[in-house]
Amino acid sequence: MINKIEKYIQKIVELEQFIANLFLLFIMFIITLDVLGRNLWNKPITGTVELTELGSALLVFFALAMTHRKDEHIGIDFLVDRFPLPLRHFMIGVVEIIIAIVLFLMARHVFDNGLRMMERNATTTDLALPMYPFLFVVMFTLAIFALTAIFKAIYRFRRAVRKS
Amino acid sequence: MSPEMIGWLGIAALLVLFLLRVPVSISLIIVGTVGLAIIRDWESAVVQLGTTPFSTASSYSLSVIPLFILMGMFLSYSGFGKDLYTAVDAWIGHIKGGLAMTTIGTSAMFSAISGSVNATTATMARIALPEMEKYQYDKQLSTACVAAGGTLGILIPPSVILVLYGILTMEPIGKLLIAGLIPGLLQMVLFMIAIYILVSRNPAIAPTTNKKSFSEKLTSLTKIWPFIFLFALSIGGIYYGFFTPTEAGGVGAFGAFLLTLLTRRLTWEGFITSLSATTRLTAMIFFILIGADIFSKFLALSRIPVAITQFVSQLEFSPLMITFLILVVYFILGLFLEGIAIFVLTLPVVYPLITMLGYDGVWFGVVMVFVMNMGLITPPLGISVYIISGVAKDIPIEKIFKGVIPMLLMMVVCLLLIVIFPGIVTFLPDYMR
Amino acid sequence: GGGEEDTGVEEETSASGGEATTEVAEVELDFSHFFPPTHFMEDVIQEFSAELNEATDGRIQITSYPGASLAAPDEHFDAAATGSVDIALSVHGYTPNQFPLTSVMELPFMSTSATEGSQALWDLYNSFDEFDEEYAGTVPLWLYTTDPGQLYTVDKPVKSIEDLKGMRIRSPSPETSEWLEALGATPVSMPMNENFEALERGVVDGTIAPWEAVKTWGLNEVINYVTVGNFYSTTMFVVMNEDTWNSFSEEDQQIIQELAGENMVKKTGEAFDQIGAEAAEEAREKGIEFYELSEEELDEWREYIDPTINHWIENVEGRGLPAQELFDQATK
Ligand code: NA
Ligand code: NA
């Protein structure tokens, strides 16, 4: 059961990485086209600034979970590396739980922020795109990040027990 | 408990979380949120938790970072980075620490395109670190070079930080930007001297190669045209007003993309790896910046930065002594705070004081940049080192911090030179008039 | 020049701040804004804080947090509405479409000065109940506009519509972009902090901004020509969290209302006009060339600009708001 859910989450994380890459390509192309349009034909692309902002923010959130899965969020190993292996696994497991709690809390309040934006009709400047859907998407990516942390915690706890 | 006390406890808690291997970003978020909750209330703290992530990640000045990183990835995965270092090796591989010096020089060139330290550091980390590793350079040395070189990003124009300083203090921005150039070049030379000294003392950290024949040298040159093309495109584009320094990231990445496409140097796999590695590195950096933002809101409310700068400013010492003390305070703040936050929180107290003591405001802007740069490479919050650590995964972060110390000393030397001979900074902007 | 003046002010405020804290305040309010700490608005806020502190016998103490150190510029309204700060000052335009009625004052030709524009905005706010929804969760302490935005260019003066054709102009709002395009110019969106280098290198040929912003962002170093036409106004709010407001006694509420409101609307407007006038004077001394569009010339421009105003009215009416009535009263 847990394994099945984990597989499912992993697929989502991989898909998220793919989407993040698309957003990266998107901001690269739109800036270039805007620069060309402005200089060659006096026709810049309306909304380039806000699309770049949105694209860059979204690529970050979509890549968060994969970054965590690959252990690429910087931490300082200095002290933990000196502990015996089972204890190390246990401690990292606890840290993973802390990460998950922080991220669930963040996801929840990003969602609230999205609700407020929906109520207030918050939009982008030039294209007047509504903001709230982006926040709901961000909430989703944070939740996946949190789930990734939980599965890493489970893995660590298993290792901790197995070794001792 | 006074807000200041809560602030100091927060800093202590941050150190504890770091040591317990809680990721830097998460530690900052936890301490910032809990601290805000204690000083104000839980409600407003969680509002920050819900608003800051998206708001920080979607700021336009940061959106350039992934594009610069992508440019670096394309250049690196397509082998253009290798060609550059082969050429450099052919010409100066027999000189002590030649490749390390080249890294500094290339960083200086990237600094002329990018206005931010993060972008310069991330780009150069990706290009330079694997190459220096191939030539068996010591990792502590190579990472230190990238960290040091990256700091040139806000000294050599364009510079987002000097523009910000100009806006905060109403000093002339044009002069500020020019003022960073000579200190930037001086700093570059000092870094190279540091490398030379380090390598002289321990040649094993930077193996030299045999002198190459003249024809080898010439052939190596034919391969570095992609770099020349990209620099010409970016610098030319900025100085002729085709695009802004922020847009240069996008155009530069696109240029690198075209190059790899036309020369067929990048495999499909390499292309995907470039994209994925870029987005993940960006995610890591941005999440730390999000944490730093929440944390600095907490420190702002604790009023620590204002309190210590105010304390120093009321001391009855000579101007030089006060300046010196201010720099020490900035060094301490730089350990924990992100640069822009330091600016905003302390300038209202420090800037009027400095100008009242008779110092030049433009000069002080450059001094501030040095102070900020030091903060980027000192623990516990040293964003440049974190970025490098995100690329160089097989060297412990504390070793990178350790390796950076000689470079930090050179920054102190450069800063002292500037304090003693302010003309180094003011000469060019004054000449402009 | 300006640097020395700032020094004096800073000394005074920090000294008086030190004394005020000796008396323990009952309520401490965090006032957040995005202006640089050295900006004159920080002084205006300090003055307001001191007056309020005195009028309430030290019961209410305001601490100002400049430079957006507590919230990003576009987060300010939300920060006040949710109570993550007590008082927030920011630009309505940073959160577009959230203040449909207020945005009437951003339209072209609405005022000739900050004093006039601020008063007009405050009067509108007080005579239309529909504003309440825009400011839900907060109590506006005062609203104001900057001095009107003019057109600044670097290489070439703009004296006619013909001159403007093909020029790349940094635009402050989608409405401005619309009429710039109608006039044959190329509107460019970019953050204000990039404007300086963009003008210097020629990424854009000009910009539309109030004089105050020209000074604040150092643009007077790079511009050479100005075309005066009162094309745009930036509007700003100072709002207090509603719960914070309700926590005050009626007596204190009245004191706040008297010190804020009309009083601060006038003071802030005057402050912007004064700085605007100084900036314009400095520009004149520097040899920046002024061109004031005559009424006849403006009529020509209006042909291209009026459709934007009509779009705005239609758009806001479409949201069920009395845009036409509001506009008519504002331009009366
Ligand atoms: Na630079
Ligand atoms: Na630091």
Side-chain angles (χ1 to χ4, degrees):
Chain A
M1 174 66 185
I2 287 187
N3 283 347
K4 215 169 175 187
I5 299 176
E6 189 175 2
K7 282 245 165 63
Y8 193 62
I9 298 290
Q10 284 196 358
K11 276 270 173 299
I12 296 180
V13 172
E14 276 157 29
L15 183 68
E16 280 193 326
Q17 166 81 78
F18 178 74
I19 296 172
N21 293 354
L22 289 185
F23 278 120
L24 177 61
L25 284 177
F26 171 74
I27 61 174
M28 178 181 89
F29 283 119
I30 193 156
I31 289 181
T32 309
L33 286 178
D34 179 57
V35 165
L36 287 176
R38 186 177 67 217
N39 286 294
L40 300 183
W41 309 287
N42 267 342
K43 272 260 169 274
I45 298 174
T46 308
T48 300
V49 169
E50 61 200 45
L51 289 174
T52 306
E53 289 173 347
L54 289 172
S56 144
L58 289 173
L59 86 81
V60 164
F61 288 104
F62 274 105
L64 275 180
M66 184 61 101
T67 310
H68 190 54
R69 197 163 97 191
K70 297 199 171 231
D71 262 327
E72 290 177 346
H73 285 289
I74 301 292
I76 292 157
D77 297 321
F78 180 70
L79 194 64
V80 177
D81 275 355
R82 282 151 211 248
F83 293 145
L85 205 55
L87 180 60
R88 200 190 304 173
H89 281 305
F90 177 74
M91 281 190 62
I92 297 177
V94 173
V95 168
E96 294 290 353
I97 296 290
I98 294 174
I99 295 174
I101 293 171
V102 170
L103 285 162
F104 275 128
L105 198 65
M106 185 185 268
R108 194 197 163 288
H109 290 283
V110 166
F111 179 73
D112 281 359
N113 185 21
L115 286 182
R116 287 199 302 275
M117 291 213 171
M118 189 158 82
E119 258 169 53
R120 295 194 49 75
N121 300 317
T123 67
T124 62
T125 308
D126 286 330
L127 300 174
L129 303 173
M131 290 296 291
Y132 70 90
F134 298 109
L135 281 134
F136 292 163
V137 166
V138 168
M139 180 212 66
F140 171 79
T141 62
L142 290 170
I144 297 294
F145 184 174
L147 288 174
T148 311
I150 286 184
F151 283 110
K152 288 182 82 167
I154 294 173
Y155 165 81
R156 289 291 179 178
F157 289 142
R158 277 182 185 157
R159 294 281 303 266
V161 178
R162 199 191 306 160
K163 289 280 166 184
S164 60
Chain B
M1 213 172 2
S2 72
E4 274 164 57
M5 194 63 213
I6 299 169
W8 290 115
L9 287 178
I11 288 174
L14 188 70
L15 292 179
V16 172
L17 289 179
F18 279 3
L19 283 178
L20 293 177
R21 205 190 174 276
V22 179
V24 170
S25 50
I26 301 285
S27 307
L28 290 163
I29 292 169
I30 292 175
V31 176
T33 308
V34 174
L36 282 169
I38 297 175
I39 293 184
R40 274 190 70 89
D41 52 68
W42 179 251
E43 294 255 303
S44 52
V46 291
V47 165
Q48 290 283 14
L49 194 61
T51 52
T52 311
F54 191 75
S55 146
T56 302
S58 63
S59 96
Y60 187 62
S61 55
L62 290 186
S63 55
V64 64
I65 292 176
L67 295 165
F68 273 107
I69 299 176
L70 183 62
M71 171 162 59
M73 294 283 176
F74 280 153
L75 291 173
S76 168
Y77 281 109
S78 60
F80 289 133
K82 183 175 149 272
D83 290 346
L84 176 71
Y85 276 78
T86 311
V88 171
D89 175 56
W91 286 84
I92 58 171
H94 56 286
I95 296 174
K96 278 182 193 158
L99 296 186
M101 293 181 192
T102 306
T103 302
I104 300 286
T106 315
S107 296
M109 285 172 76
F110 262 107
S111 300
I113 305 172
S114 115
S116 106
V117 172
N118 295 341
T120 313
T121 307
T123 315
M124 282 309 295
R126 187 57 238 176
I127 295 175
L129 290 180
E131 302 313 321
M132 285 194 279
E133 190 174 349
K134 272 179 213 151
Y135 288 90
Q136 278 156 15
Y137 266 55
D138 175 61
K139 285 206 182 93
Q140 213 161 309
L141 176 68
S142 57
T143 49
C145 288
V146 174
T151 64
L152 299 173
I154 50 173
L155 272 171
I156 294 173
S159 164
V160 287
I161 295 302
L162 280 170
V163 170
L164 179 77
Y165 176 87
I167 291 159
L168 287 173
T169 61
M170 303 217 176
E171 290 289 343
I173 297 172
K175 281 191 172 194
L176 279 166
L177 286 171
I178 290 291
L181 183 62
I182 291 184
L185 295 177
L186 175 66
Q187 181 70 90
M188 178 186 82
V189 173
L190 286 172
F191 284 150
M192 290 180 175
I193 292 174
I195 293 167
Y196 187 81
I197 296 172
L198 285 173
V199 177
S200 298
R201 286 178 48 185
N202 183 4
I205 60 173
T208 49
T209 52
N210 293 329
K211 246 187 157 161
K212 308 291 183 303
S213 71
F214 190 67
S215 70
E216 267 177 288
K217 285 182 183 173
L218 279 188
T219 5
S220 74
L221 276 190
T222 58
K223 287 189 174 174
I224 63 166
W225 65 269
F227 275 90
I228 296 171
F229 169 79
L230 271 186
F231 278 122
L233 176 77
S234 305
I235 297 179
I238 290 171
Y239 285 85
Y240 283 102
F242 284 116
F243 41 77
T244 65
T246 309
E247 291 167 338
V251 177
F254 183 75
F257 172 71
L258 272 191
L259 281 176
T260 57
L261 207 66
L262 294 177
T263 57
R264 295 169 182 272
R265 289 280 291 265
L266 194 62
T267 58
W268 176 248
E269 210 187 344
F271 175 69
I272 299 293
T273 312
S274 300
L275 295 179
S276 299
T278 302
T279 50
R280 290 204 307 273
L281 186 58
T282 310
M284 184 274 279
I285 298 171
F286 275 41
F287 216 53
I288 290 181
L289 293 175
I290 289 168
D293 238 25
I294 296 178
F295 181 74
S296 73
K297 283 170 184 168
F298 156 58
L299 273 199
L301 270 179
S302 81
R303 306 204 58 80
I304 287 180
V306 175
I308 40 179
T309 34
Q310 237 158 19
F311 171 74
V312 169
S313 67
Q314 277 154 11
L315 296 173
E316 308 250 329
F317 290 137
S318 69
L320 194 67
M321 192 63 196
I322 290 185
T323 311
F324 180 72
L325 281 177
I326 288 174
L327 294 181
V328 171
V329 167
Y330 272 128
F331 182 81
I332 295 168
L333 290 177
L335 300 176
F336 306 101
L337 269 175
E338 216 256 321
I340 292 176
I342 304 182
F343 262 43
V344 172
L345 296 177
T346 62
L347 273 185
V349 181
V350 172
Y351 172 76
L353 177 72
I354 283 287
T355 44
M356 200 179 64
L357 292 175
Y359 289 101
D360 182 66
V362 170
W363 169 83
F364 190 61
V366 174
V367 168
M368 286 292 286
V369 166
F370 270 89
V371 169
M372 232 182 92
N373 277 338
M374 289 181 191
L376 289 168
I377 58 173
T378 51
L381 188 67
I383 291 175
S384 280
V385 170
Y386 295 151
I387 293 173
I388 291 165
S389 177
V391 176
K393 296 197 183 75
D394 44 357
I395 166 169
I397 201 162
E398 60 270 19
K399 280 209 162 167
I400 309 180
F401 276 122
K402 210 174 134 201
V404 156
I405 293 173
M407 299 303 181
L408 193 65
L409 287 178
M410 276 306 176
M411 289 163 88
V412 174
V413 169
C414 197
L415 184 56
L416 287 179
L417 283 175
I418 286 171
V419 173
I420 299 166
F421 308 106
I424 298 172
V425 177
T426 52
F427 159 75
L428 255 194
D430 286 347
Y431 182 76
M432 242 170 67
R433 269 284 126 140
Chain C
E4 278 160 43
E5 279 167 31
D6 285 344
T7 313
V9 173
E10 275 305 327
E11 258 185 314
E12 264 171 42
T13 49
S14 57
S16 68
E19 276 162 38
T21 44
T22 53
E23 202 174 334
V24 179
E26 269 172 37
V27 194
E28 288 181 36
L29 302 179
D30 295 329
F31 188 134
S32 175
H33 67 96
F34 68 91
F35 281 114
T38 43
H39 195 270
F40 67 88
M41 267 314 281
E42 171 67 10
D43 301 334
V44 172
I45 291 164
Q46 290 291 350
E47 204 183 312
F48 171 70
S49 311
E51 279 175 15
L52 185 63
N53 192 261
E54 205 187 293
T56 57
D57 304 317
R59 284 194 304 280
I60 303 179
Q61 164 102 36
I62 292 179
T63 311
S64 170
Y65 292 88
S69 58
L70 296 187
D74 61 353
E75 288 176 337
H76 269 69
F77 184 82
D78 195 47
T82 55
S84 78
V85 302
D86 301 300
I87 307 174
L89 178 161
S90 192
V91 175
H92 293 94
Y94 289 165
T95 44
N97 287 320
Q98 294 194 40
F99 302 95
L101 293 179
T102 307
S103 71
V104 69
M105 293 307 295
E106 292 177 10
L107 294 173
F109 318 127
M110 296 303 285
S111 71
T112 57
S113 72
T115 320
E116 188 191 319
S118 302
Q119 190 61 51
L121 176 56
W122 190 243
D123 289 345
L124 290 175
Y125 167 73
N126 283 306
S127 44
F128 285 82
D129 290 339
E130 287 87 347
F131 272 93
D132 290 348
E133 203 182 318
E134 292 187 9
Y135 295 95
T138 68
V139 175
L141 296 183
W142 73 95
L143 307 173
Y144 64 93
T145 72
T146 62
D147 54 310
Q150 317 300 356
L151 170 63
Y152 310 89
T153 50
V154 178
D155 293 327
K156 185 177 114 181
V158 174
K159 298 181 175 172
S160 65
I161 297 173
E162 205 46 47
D163 292 335
L164 190 60
K165 285 224 159 68
M167 282 180 116
R168 286 176 296 219
I169 308 293
R170 190 256 174 194
S171 154
S173 73
E175 284 80 16
T176 314
S177 301
E178 185 182 325
W179 61 255
L180 276 173
E181 216 171 327
L183 283 160
T186 305
V188 177
S189 291
M190 67 168 57
M192 200 58 183
N193 60 8
E194 305 211 326
N195 210 349
F196 179 93
E197 282 180 282
L199 285 165
E200 191 184 34
R201 304 266 174 236
V203 174
V204 292
D205 305 306
T207 188
I208 291 182
W211 274 112
E212 172 273 325
V214 167
K215 195 176 160 83
T216 302
W217 301 90
L219 305 185
N220 41 8
E221 290 174 48
V222 279
I223 54 164
N224 293 310
Y225 306 95
V226 48
T227 307
V228 179
N230 303 333
F231 297 108
Y232 172 82
S233 293
T234 310
T235 67
M236 303 191 200
F237 57 79
V238 181
V239 296
M240 181 185 276
N241 174 268
E242 201 168 23
D243 295 336
T244 309
W245 174 260
N246 290 332
S247 71
F248 290 120
S249 67
E250 251 172 59
E251 181 200 346
D252 279 350
Q253 286 182 348
Q254 204 168 352
I255 294 176
I256 298 174
Q257 237 157 5
E258 262 163 38
L259 284 177
E262 199 97 20
N263 178 41
M264 288 312 292
V265 168
K266 194 157 173 278
K267 270 192 187 160
T268 315
E270 279 167 1
F272 271 84
D273 280 335
Q274 193 198 326
I275 294 293
E278 278 171 29
E281 190 48 45
E282 267 173 45
R284 245 182 255 276
E285 277 166 20
K286 265 192 186 163
I288 291 173
E289 228 176 83
F290 280 61
Y291 187 78
E292 227 162 297
L293 292 173
S294 67
E295 271 308 313
E296 296 82 60
E297 285 168 319
L298 273 176
D299 281 341
E300 253 176 76
W301 289 57
R302 269 181 219 277
E303 271 179 51
Y304 298 88
I305 296 178
D306 278 347
T308 299
I309 298 176
N310 294 333
H311 282 163
W312 179 89
I313 294 173
E314 274 167 39
N315 186 5
V316 177
E317 284 280 345
R319 295 173 69 167
L321 295 165
Q324 185 68 54
E325 204 186 326
L326 187 83
F327 179 78
D328 290 344
Q329 184 170 329
T331 48
K332 208 161 41 184

